[in-house]
Amino acid sequence: MNGILGRKLGMTQIFDDAGRRVAVTVIAAGPCLVVQRKTKSSDGYEAVKLGFEPQKASRLSKTALGEYNKAGVDPQRMMQEFPCAADEELAPGTRVTVDQFEGVTHVDVAATSKGRGFAGVVKRYNMAGGAKTHGGHSKRRVGAIGQCSYPARVMKGQKMPGHMGNVRVTQQNLKLLAIRPEENLLLVQGAVPGPNGGVVRVSRALKKAGKSA
Amino acid sequence: MSADIVRKIGDEGMKSDVPDFQIGDTVSVHVKIREGDKERVQVFTGYVLARDGGGGTETYTVRRVSHGVGVERVFPLHSPYVEKIEVVRSAHVRRAKLYYQRGLTGRKARLKEKIVVKK
């Protein structure tokens, strides 16, 4: 078991052991309930389905409700699957809390980033834009997008204005500074995708696996 | 509710012994400095140009003119590096931010002392 669902509460700063100011994101994670335990024999792979945040049964679809009823678990607002090891028991109804991150140094946090709408190229790709003064007429324009009669087309992947944000973003290898099981809180160093109050998926850092985490 | 939790976490590092000082006060900030594994205290004396933010994340800016060069340092109000803050004198000021002082030198840059009447 190496993950949990939560909500981003916001950012603040704390002083670390050395007395330095550190920016932290506060995440209220869990408690989650196990809804289903998928196994190699029954589903072809090992995983656990977690439900998060209690919800009125009338607000759920019948398919979702059916899953909760089958598991004998109170209806939850959302459900997500996390990989787990074959030897982990995790029967339906088991509470999954931030305790599992005890001793973990780094986490990955995935969430839907804030939507920026139809954004220009300066905001979207950090392009420099043109001259604001000296008679510049291309203040925030794209500029040139290719050459001339050869290749006579615009290359695929050319960076242009378009929709920005509102996509799933994973911020990897964030330092986990503190775990507070009594308040179901995680304190993570640095920023996390999405707005305050947004749903986040916290898991052990993939690229730190096998090392200290 | 959730904003309260975040605020509470930010306030956890707050010190209880921070003196009450105002904008324009001349203060001596005793800063701990680590050099290798030795630690010593350096005193930075100047007047408080601004205070920013609130709670555990509040900061203040101290300005002094040293060798003709204006030096400003921003300290977190509750920084563990700051051993103590001494209020040397108070001044009568009419702004919350004294940024206008940056452009002034000599007699114009003086701050009039505030006479605090003790009750």
Side-chain angles (χ1 to χ4, degrees):
Chain A
M1 192 58 238
N2 70 348
I4 199 164
L5 292 170
R7 280 189 186 274
K8 171 176 167 180
L9 296 188
M11 290 189 74
T12 183
Q13 56 193 25
I14 59 171
F15 294 102
D16 70 5
D17 297 336
R20 286 175 299 228
R21 272 191 300 175
V22 185
V24 294
T25 304
V26 184
I27 298 172
C32 293
L33 294 175
V34 175
V35 182
Q36 193 190 351
R37 174 75 172 88
K38 295 192 169 182
T39 59
K40 189 115 193 165
S41 55
S42 63
D43 303 273
Y45 62 101
E46 299 287 340
V48 62
K49 211 187 262 181
L50 297 185
F52 176 52
E53 284 188 352
Q55 177 65 288
K56 270 197 274 183
S58 60
R59 290 201 189 276
L60 293 169
S61 70
K62 284 186 180 167
T63 43
L65 203 54
E67 288 202 50
Y68 292 117
N69 287 340
K70 189 180 169 190
V73 173
D74 287 339
Q76 307 288 309
R77 189 189 295 268
M78 59 199 95
M79 217 179 331
Q80 268 191 40
E81 206 171 280
F82 291 88
C84 71
D87 55 357
E88 285 179 285
E89 197 63 56
L90 296 167
T94 311
R95 269 163 62 94
V96 174
T97 61
V98 292
D99 287 334
Q100 59 169 309
F101 290 103
E102 203 66 63
V104 173
T105 57
H106 292 79
V107 291
D108 294 343
V109 178
T112 306
S113 63
K114 284 184 187 173
R116 315 277 149 154
F118 192 98
V121 105
V122 173
K123 190 187 188 83
R124 195 175 182 207
Y125 294 112
N126 297 325
M127 285 190 186
K132 282 179 183 163
T133 53
H134 303 296
H137 288 294
S138 64
K139 293 179 177 52
R140 293 177 73 90
R141 286 164 137 181
V142 207
I145 57 168
Q147 298 77 40
C148 195
S149 56
Y150 181 80
R153 64 189 176 90
V154 176
M155 294 297 168
K156 276 190 177 176
Q158 174 64 36
K159 288 172 178 172
M160 292 210 195
H163 193 273
M164 182 183 174
N166 197 22
V167 289
R168 185 186 148 110
V169 176
T170 305
Q171 194 69 47
Q172 293 184 320
N173 303 332
L174 293 171
K175 220 186 233 174
L176 184 59
L177 295 180
I179 307 160
R180 306 202 173 168
E182 64 284 353
E183 295 161 293
N184 293 312
L185 292 182
L186 295 174
L187 299 193
V188 170
Q189 183 172 350
V192 155
N196 291 346
V199 177
V200 295
R201 179 186 163 107
V202 186
S203 49
R204 263 181 232 193
L206 190 70
K207 290 180 180 171
K208 299 276 180 186
K211 293 176 194 165
S212 52
Chain B
M1 210 243 4
S2 57
D4 292 343
I5 299 175
V6 174
R7 197 175 306 122
K8 213 180 79 199
I9 288 169
D11 289 351
E12 276 167 13
M14 281 172 78
K15 293 195 276 192
S16 53
D17 57 345
V18 175
D20 181 35
F21 61 90
Q22 309 293 326
I23 312 297
D25 289 2
T26 301
V27 292
S28 291
V29 186
H30 295 244
V31 197
K32 278 188 257 181
I33 292 180
R34 283 188 75 93
E35 286 166 338
D37 48 353
K38 263 194 280 180
E39 206 176 64
R40 63 185 187 84
V41 175
Q42 196 182 59
V43 183
F44 187 85
T45 306
Y47 60 89
V48 180
L49 194 73
R51 286 177 74 150
D52 278 291
T57 62
E58 183 171 353
T59 60
Y60 55 98
T61 307
V62 182
R63 179 181 166 89
R64 67 177 294 182
V65 177
S66 126
H67 301 289
V69 182
V71 179
E72 286 175 20
R73 283 189 72 175
V74 182
F75 299 100
L77 189 61
H78 300 282
S79 171
Y81 284 120
V82 175
E83 209 171 64
K84 66 174 173 181
I85 310 166
E86 278 175 306
V87 181
V88 181
R89 64 182 278 244
S90 297
H92 176 69
V93 292
R94 300 174 69 163
R95 303 271 179 285
K97 310 277 187 238
L98 304 181
Y99 299 139
Y100 71 92
Q101 282 281 326
R102 288 172 177 165
L104 302 180
T105 51
R107 288 173 65 85
K108 281 224 166 102
R110 283 173 311 160
L111 295 168
K112 203 188 266 178
E113 184 154 10
K114 184 157 77 180
I115 314 297
V116 183
V117 184
K118 279 197 183 124
K119 281 169 194 165

